[in-house]
Amino acid sequence: MTPITQLHPNGEAPPAERLPDSQPLYRQLADHYRRAIGSGVLRPGDRMPSMRAFMQRHGVSLATATESYRVLERDALIDARPRAGYFVRVPPAAGLPAAAEPDLAVPPGAAQFVGIHSVISSIVSTFQRYPDALNLGGATASPDLYPTEALQKAALRALRRRPTLLTAAGHDQGDPELRAVIARRALDAGIHIGADDLIMTHGGIEAVNLALRAVTQPGDTVAVESPCFFGLLQALESLGLRALEIPASPSTGLAIDALAFALQTHPDIKAVVAVPNLQNPLGTVMPDAHKARLVELCAQAGVALIEDDPYRELADAAQPPKSLKAWDTDGTVIHCTSFNKTLAPGMRVGWINGGRWHPRIGMLKFAQSRHNEQLSQVVLGEFLATNAYERHLRRLRDRLRIQRERMAAAIATSFPDGTRFTPPGGGMFFWIGLPRGTSSAALFEAALKEGIRIMPGTVFSNSGRFDHFIRLSCPSTDMDLADEAVRKLGRLAGRIAM
Ligand SMILES: Cc1ncc(COP(=O)(O)O)c(C=O)c1O
């Protein structure tokens, strides 16, 4: 057995003196790692050595290695993760209560024209004054979590295979091969469609804009989740639409009863927009029963249901959750999504299945921007034709989960009393409720001066009711840097909350 006294953070044991041999070997090894975890040499979320590495490092049999890990697992010091190995357990975020549920007894207010552009513009221009700030405010993962090299190789293959890719015009609806792959993959989301039912778009945001334009006229009312993605509020504002904010629960998403009431009291609602999987900013995955009810409710009311679904494949569940579209029987659901969060933010490839508005959306897309650039689509078609995407998704989910666990532990120990959050069901966001009265705008400014970028809650609603919330995202693979930034933010929030 390799002698053991001290571990490096990656779990490697450098040569050192032997421990007394009074206990069985598997126990000595378990104790060795227990001390490393206890002293912080191995930290929550760190990967433990693989079984093979453990056996080689300590010169022990598989039975001894397995038994050591069994002891550590039993003592809740490490967790096994399917297909990923063993990790130092992240203690549950003790001390922080779950986010408060919305008060559904309050009837929805009047639908309002959105006035969010100026708030967002001011945030963006403030960001620009601090270009080097660590970005905890974004909505994509760090570039090194995406398969840069594999996509570059796919691009070269695509250009060789299709020499006129850059010079010949493409199909109006987008590349047929990519659409065929997407239609096959849609089966996993519970959606049965053909390639011709899809139109490729410039990211998910163009899909949402097209959907809104297809089903509304300026001045109409659209029911949205509250809080919701600020890009949706910007889209509503730019199209002259009114937003009716429907409360969303941090545990189940859009409150269906509140929506049912709103549909009765506001006959002018022309569309409902929902993010059922990993809602932005809540990180909630809507339970299946709610998804079924939501689709049924909109179908009965004759109101378009715009499903904005870019995060589904980042959910933690063993089986990715289903899309609302899986329950659609009459074309009520317009399904919008993209590869910008899951695979390639730089390529901006999205798509839309327009339900019964498919022909109108095709016409609007043609009038607005013609077909999308071909190169990105063909590259993604190449990449998706193999199982590289599945492998990448598994790795990305794993890395994001490790980052989230580390961040959750840092938030729990460094934010002021009265802070609340519900751990998300996957993805990259934390929606954090600061003690009431704490200004997220003030924290945003103070954090930027310390070199940290966050998203203040002010942009996720037209109502001002989330001004004491912030959205943090897992940004980079440098978890020590992120840890330090979160702790600094916690201290700043504590000062502002006083
Ligand atoms: C819920 C939601 N919808 C749409 C988008 C925009 O997606 P894309 O970058 O694919 O245009 C985002 C990006 O943050 C989002 O969070």
Side-chain angles (χ1 to χ4, degrees):
M1 168 190 154
T2 304
I4 42 180
T5 48
Q6 203 195 356
L7 277 130
H8 283 242
N10 65 0
E12 270 175 37
E17 77 224 36
R18 259 178 202 280
L19 291 176
D21 279 1
S22 53
Q23 301 193 78
L25 195 48
Y26 74 88
R27 276 209 171 278
Q28 289 184 55
L29 284 165
D31 280 351
H32 170 61
Y33 282 90
R34 185 194 312 280
R35 275 200 304 280
I37 292 168
S39 67
V41 171
L42 284 175
R43 285 177 307 181
D46 277 350
R47 187 186 288 275
M48 296 290 288
S50 67
M51 278 292 162
R52 182 195 293 263
F54 189 100
M55 288 158 61
Q56 278 170 358
R57 221 165 263 169
H58 302 298
V60 296
S61 66
L62 179 61
T64 302
T66 312
E67 199 53 22
S68 300
Y69 275 17
R70 200 190 57 74
V71 169
L72 291 168
E73 223 183 335
R74 187 203 60 202
D75 294 349
L77 291 168
I78 63 171
D79 286 324
R81 294 183 190 157
R83 290 190 300 268
Y86 285 88
F87 292 81
V88 177
R89 185 159 186 264
V90 176
L96 284 193
E101 289 293 325
D103 182 358
L104 299 182
V106 181
Q112 293 177 359
F113 282 109
V114 182
I116 207 85
H117 275 322
S118 56
V119 184
I120 295 170
S121 302
S122 122
I123 284 177
V124 171
S125 63
T126 316
F127 277 167
Q128 283 161 356
R129 296 208 308 270
Y130 299 89
D132 299 328
L134 178 70
N135 190 359
L136 302 187
T140 55
S142 149
D144 52 348
L145 294 187
Y146 296 110
T148 310
E149 223 175 282
L151 288 172
Q152 280 167 355
K153 284 188 183 144
L156 293 174
R157 276 199 307 276
L159 284 166
R160 271 198 299 271
R161 189 166 65 85
R162 305 259 297 260
T164 59
L165 201 48
L166 300 178
T167 44
H171 191 289
D172 281 348
Q173 286 183 223
D175 184 65
E177 283 178 30
L178 177 60
R179 283 186 286 117
V181 177
I182 292 173
R184 274 200 301 281
R185 291 189 58 82
L187 290 171
D188 297 343
I191 302 174
H192 295 266
I193 44 165
D196 288 346
D197 302 320
L198 295 169
I199 298 168
M200 302 309 298
T201 58
H202 189 73
I205 199 67
E206 188 186 31
V208 171
N209 272 278
L210 286 168
L212 287 168
R213 288 179 62 207
V215 300
T216 62
Q217 299 289 330
D220 282 346
T221 295
V222 176
V224 302
E225 297 155 313
S226 186
C228 73
F229 163 53
F230 58 83
L232 170 62
L233 295 175
Q234 283 184 295
L236 295 180
E237 183 173 351
S238 65
L239 295 171
L241 296 167
R242 295 170 206 257
L244 182 66
E245 296 195 21
I246 309 291
S249 148
S251 47
T252 55
L254 182 69
I256 314 286
D257 288 338
L259 176 67
F261 182 71
L263 286 168
Q264 283 166 15
T265 52
H266 292 70
D268 51 340
I269 294 177
K270 292 293 188 312
V272 175
V273 184
V275 182
N277 298 312
L278 296 179
Q279 202 264 9
N280 178 3
L282 293 171
T284 311
V285 175
M286 187 184 278
D288 279 359
H290 289 226
K291 286 177 177 162
R293 250 196 91 205
L294 175 56
V295 175
E296 194 187 352
L297 187 64
C298 292
Q300 277 171 358
V303 168
L305 175 52
I306 300 174
E307 174 174 29
D308 185 10
D309 199 20
Y311 298 105
R312 188 184 73 84
E313 289 174 308
L314 300 183
D316 272 345
Q319 235 8 62
K322 286 200 177 134
S323 300
L324 294 172
K325 187 77 191 164
W327 281 271
D328 187 19
T329 53
D330 64 359
T332 293
V333 179
I334 303 177
H335 186 238
C336 306
T337 182
S338 88
F339 289 117
N340 287 337
K341 312 298 177 185
T342 54
L343 181 57
M347 294 172 100
R348 300 224 36 86
V349 174
W351 65 98
I352 186 167
N353 168 257
R356 63 171 178 269
W357 293 273
H358 178 63
R360 180 162 168 74
I361 288 171
M363 183 275 287
L364 288 170
K365 167 71 175 154
F366 183 77
Q368 177 172 291
S369 57
R370 301 299 197 266
H371 66 79
N372 274 31
E373 306 80 344
Q374 293 232 83
L375 178 59
S376 301
Q377 298 177 61
V378 176
V379 171
L380 291 183
E382 288 271 340
F383 186 79
L384 290 163
T386 68
N387 61 1
Y389 185 48
E390 294 306 333
R391 279 201 306 275
H392 155 70
L393 280 178
R394 278 200 293 274
R395 181 172 168 273
L396 178 60
R397 281 194 293 258
D398 193 34
R399 299 293 291 275
L400 287 176
R401 185 177 48 218
I402 293 168
Q403 292 190 9
R404 281 199 318 274
E405 288 173 350
R406 279 282 291 273
M407 270 182 85
I411 294 166
T413 51
S414 56
F415 271 65
D417 285 349
T419 299
R420 307 175 70 141
F421 81 94
T422 300
M428 54 191 98
F429 301 132
F430 286 102
W431 181 237
I432 301 172
L434 301 170
R436 254 189 197 285
T438 312
S439 159
S440 65
L443 181 57
F444 165 74
E445 292 277 349
L448 267 180
K449 289 186 185 129
E450 297 280 339
I452 307 162
R453 189 189 271 200
I454 62 172
M455 264 299 166
T458 40
V459 298
F460 295 94
S461 162
N462 206 30
S463 70
R465 75 174 67 103
F466 300 105
D467 289 358
H468 63 295
F469 281 75
I470 56 169
R471 190 192 72 186
L472 289 190
S473 44
C474 312
S476 73
T477 35
D478 188 337
M479 290 197 272
D480 290 337
L481 210 63
D483 248 21
E484 200 185 306
V486 170
R487 286 177 204 286
K488 213 180 262 179
L489 268 181
R491 285 194 293 277
L492 286 176
R495 258 179 254 149
I496 291 170
M498 280 196 314

